[in-house]
Amino acid sequence: MSALLRQIPANIPQDIRKIRIENSHLTELPRGSFENVSALEYLWLNFNNITVMHIKSLEYLLALKELRLQGNKLSSVPWTAFQDTPALKILDLKHNRLDVLPEHALRYLPNLTYLDLSSNQLTVISRDVFYSWPVYQRSQRAEGQIEAISNAVLALHDNPWICDCRLRGFVQFIKSVGPPIILMNSYLTCSSPKFRAGKFFHEVELNSCMKPLTSALDTNVTVPMGLNVTLTCFVQASPSPAVWWTYALKLLRAFNVSTEPISEETVRSELLIPAARPADAGNYTCTAANFLGNTSVAITLHVGVPWASTTSPGWAPIAPAEPGAHVEVRIAKQTVYGITLEWFAAAAAAAEPGETWYTLLVGRYDAAQKDAIYIGPGINTYSVTDLLPATKYEVCVAVRNQAPRKGQCVVFVTGSDVSQLEQREKLIHIVVIVCAMVLAVPAGMYACTAEARPGCLARCPGTCP
C-alpha cells in the first residue's frame, strides 16, 4: 500500500492466492504480468495510475475469481483478455474513464456475479452488449423453469448518459431487466440533451433514429441591395445533427450563423447576411449530418438594385470622375494575413499620375467610420493585414481627399477557420470579389459586376481581364 512500485514485482511466490497493490505508481499491465502466479484468485489493483492494459496481461490466471481496478485511468479495456480468466466472478471497474463498451464486451465473462461500471464516461451503449452476455442468455432460457440461477449484480449509475435515439434499446433493456440480473442502482439518469438532463430512464420515451431531412420555407429569396437578409433552413433528425452552410464552396459556419432546436427532433439554422450587395448573390447550401447520413437544401439569393437604371439588366453605370482621369483598383494577391491592393491611374489633366496622392479607406463593411490611409505620390500598391476570418470588408481608393463615389470600392468576405485543422495560410481566403472595379472612367463606360449576365466578360474584355 502506497509503495513506490512502478511495475508488478517479478519475485512473487508461485503459490500466492491474493495480491493487493493500491495507491502506487503502476501505469501499465504488460503482457504476462502474472505468468508466475497461476494459482492467483484475488487481484486488487485499486487507486493506481493504470492507463494501459495489454490484451495478454491476465494470461495464465485460470483460477482468478476477483479483479478490482477501481480508481485507475483506463479509457478502454481489452475485453478479449478475459478469455484467460474463465472463472472470474467479480469485476470492479468503477471510477475509471471508460467511454465505450463494444458489443462483445461481456461475451467472455460467463460466470460473473458482480460487474461494476459506475462512475465512468459512458454516454451511449447498445443493448446488444447485454443480450450477448452469457449470464443474460442463461436467464432467458431458464425463465419459467424451476432451475435456480445465481443472481448477477450490475452497476451502471453515475455515467453521463446521452438520452437520444441511440440509447433507446439500452433504456428499454434497463426498464425490463429483472432477476437474476439486479441493478445496484436502478435510477439511472440522463445527462443530456438539456431538456432531458436529470430525468430518470423510466421517465423518458425515446424515438428511433432518423436521417436528417432538410427543408426551407423559401428557396428563392430576393432582397434590395443594402438591406439585411436572413436565410433559414429547418432540419428534422435524430440524433441532433451538425449543421453548416456553404457558399461558393467555402464554409461559412462561423459567418453570422445561429442554429437552435425548436422541438425534440427539429432544429432551425439561420444565416444572416448584413447589408446585402450584388456580390452576395448566389446559391447558399444548408447541410445537416448525423451518423445515419446527410442531406442539404439550396437557397438562391437575388440582390436587387435600389435605384432605377435605364441600362440593360446586370450592368451598373459608374459615375465619371474628372475629365480624362480614371483609376482602376484590384486585389493583386492574397497573403497569409490579408490582401495586397494594386491600382493604376491614367494621366489626368491637372497632374501626372506619379504626382497624385491617394486616400485608402479600409474597414469592416458595416462600420460607420473606416481607417483612412494617405498614400504618397508614386505609390500604387498597399497591403491590408490582420484581417479577421468570416468578416465582410470594404476597401475604397480615392484621388486626393475626394470622397469615394458609388462603385469606387472593393468588397470581399474572408473565409471561416471552421475546422481548426486548416493551415494558417488558408485562414484568409477571399470568397467574394467583384470582377473589376473602375473607380473613375470616362462617361459612357460600364463596369462588370457580380450581377452581370454570362455574356458580360465577352462584352467588356478590357474591363474584366
Side-chain angles (χ1 to χ4, degrees), residues 30 113 163 187 208 229 241 327 350 391 410:
T113 58
C163 291
Y187 291 97
S208 299
V229 60
V327 177
T391 305
V410 174

Side-chain angles (χ1 to χ4, degrees), residues 376-391:
I379 300 174
N380 68 337
T381 61
Y382 186 82
S383 293
V384 181
T385 58
D386 295 328
L387 298 179
L388 298 173
T391 305

